[in-house]
Amino acid sequence: MDTTSFAERDGFIWFNGELVDWRDANVHVLTHGLHYASSVFEGERVYDGEIFKLTEHSERLIKSANILGFDLGLTVDEINQACLDTMHANNIVDGYLRPVAWRGSEMMGVSAQQNKINFAVAAWVWPSYFDPEARMKGIRLQISDWRRPSPDTIPTQSKAAGLYMICTLSKHKAESDGFDDAVMLDYRGRIAEATGANIFFTKDGVLHTPTPDCFLDGITRRTVIDLAKARGIEVVERIIMPEEMADFEECFLTGTAAEVTPVGAINDYKFTPGTICQTLIEDYENCVRRKVAA
């Protein structure tokens, strides 16, 4: 993976209606999105020169912005085209896209009624989110001290930048303690998700996953559920308490970045990546590479 600072790379970024040089895609320090987290974004993967589930991501971006009370002023088709133009301008065959929208710098304060809504898309080459060797063994997760908030305290169904502050705190703590990532419980003490991915468990051939009532129902999550059902694997969306992990056999994460990543341990709970993990890894790979229907 390229370790060059993201501010010092070469290429082009779609910025408010046009492709600009990567290093010129800047915003002012008094941008509202920086100070008050009035920003929404998407994470998208490019496989073999195609953006996976592009329209679903663009639709969710608009929904997220609307939940935060601002209008992008763009249609789904216009967002799609900006993403495609950015991908082609940077010659991305296998990589990652980051569409992002935010309130600008016209007003500085909690109220931002007159602020311009900005929109940008960046794209870069990006391999597996987790180390491939660690992924095959099953990554190690730590249960975070931070919890996913209640939906009546923050707009949990928006992919809003502010919701990820506790994810960064959780992941940094996990990495400092020798883990790969963290699992977050929700405000009720139930298993919710990892810092940037949804979570699944298996028991007796059945797939169990938390009900997404205070966190995002991920696009990859829904894709994997469909793939599992196509295999005849029963999928149960339900409340899952931490102590139930003692009885689960397999565990894996799903997300645009994580794809399908087996988990070997969560704190002292152990899992053995097995047939269901391997099957869904292969099915997801075939799906994103268009070897089977998405």
Side-chain angles (χ1 to χ4, degrees):
M1 183 182 292
D2 188 354
T3 58
T4 306
S5 165
F6 275 92
E8 299 297 330
R9 299 193 178 195
D10 297 316
F12 299 93
I13 290 176
W14 183 270
F15 195 96
N16 286 336
E18 61 180 342
L19 287 164
V20 302
D21 185 89
W22 187 288
R23 297 163 196 258
D24 293 334
N26 300 311
V27 297
H28 195 273
V29 68
L30 293 181
T31 295
H32 196 274
L34 173 63
H35 292 258
Y36 298 100
S38 53
S39 172
V40 295
F41 69 96
E42 284 294 317
E44 304 170 13
R45 278 274 194 154
V46 181
Y47 297 96
D48 299 328
E50 291 190 30
I51 305 171
F52 185 63
K53 298 289 181 80
L54 172 58
T55 294
E56 288 185 40
H57 282 287
S58 296
E59 290 172 343
R60 189 171 67 181
L61 184 68
I62 290 174
K63 177 183 176 182
S64 293
N66 290 342
I67 291 173
L68 262 63
F70 62 81
D71 182 359
L72 296 184
L74 297 166
T75 66
V76 169
D77 286 344
E78 288 170 333
I79 295 172
N80 285 354
Q81 192 59 55
C83 291
L84 292 168
D85 289 348
T86 306
M87 178 188 73
H88 292 308
N90 291 284
N91 300 312
I92 303 295
V93 177
D94 288 283
Y96 187 85
L97 262 81
R98 173 54 59 89
V100 58
W102 67 96
R103 288 190 173 100
S105 55
E106 289 75 16
M107 297 177 67
M108 180 46 57
V110 172
S111 179
Q113 303 288 0
Q114 305 305 316
N115 286 40
K116 176 183 176 180
I117 305 304
N118 299 272
F119 172 66
V121 184
W124 59 92
V125 175
W126 200 18
S128 178
Y129 189 53
F130 294 105
D131 177 78
E133 184 177 348
R135 183 182 179 191
M136 295 307 296
K137 294 178 181 177
I139 62 172
R140 297 175 63 247
L141 309 182
Q142 179 185 69
I143 297 176
S144 174
D145 294 332
W146 296 97
R147 295 194 175 190
R148 273 275 162 242
S150 166
D152 61 4
T153 63
I154 200 165
T156 58
Q157 293 306 308
S158 172
K159 194 169 176 66
L163 285 162
Y164 287 81
M165 178 186 67
I166 55 175
C167 297
T168 297
L169 291 171
S170 299
K171 190 170 178 67
H172 283 186
K173 173 64 163 54
E175 291 174 338
S176 295
D177 291 343
F179 294 85
D180 299 294
D181 200 355
V183 170
M184 305 183 75
L185 306 182
D186 70 12
Y187 63 101
R188 298 159 295 198
R190 303 168 178 176
I191 292 176
E193 60 177 351
T195 60
N198 293 119
I199 192 165
F200 288 80
F201 301 93
T202 73
K203 183 179 180 181
D204 298 328
V206 176
L207 205 54
H208 301 260
T209 189
T211 304
D213 60 357
C214 65
F215 56 89
L216 282 181
D217 179 7
I219 291 171
T220 307
R221 177 185 184 274
R222 294 198 300 267
T223 301
V224 169
I225 287 174
D226 289 342
L227 291 170
K229 289 180 176 178
R231 283 279 186 178
I233 300 170
E234 182 181 355
V235 181
V236 179
E237 298 181 70
R238 65 176 180 86
I239 296 167
I240 300 177
M241 301 305 295
E243 56 269 22
E244 292 185 67
M245 290 191 288
D247 297 321
F248 289 130
E249 298 150 0
E250 299 181 58
C251 176
F252 60 87
L253 304 181
T254 64
T256 295
E259 300 174 303
V260 179
T261 296
V263 174
I266 300 176
N267 280 22
D268 293 329
Y269 297 105
K270 306 297 183 183
F271 311 95
T272 302
T275 302
I276 292 180
C277 279
Q278 189 61 45
T279 296
L280 292 174
I281 288 171
E282 292 172 0
D283 285 355
Y284 186 73
E285 177 72 10
N286 288 335
C287 181
V288 298
R289 299 289 178 184
R290 298 294 186 182
K291 295 177 183 177
V292 296

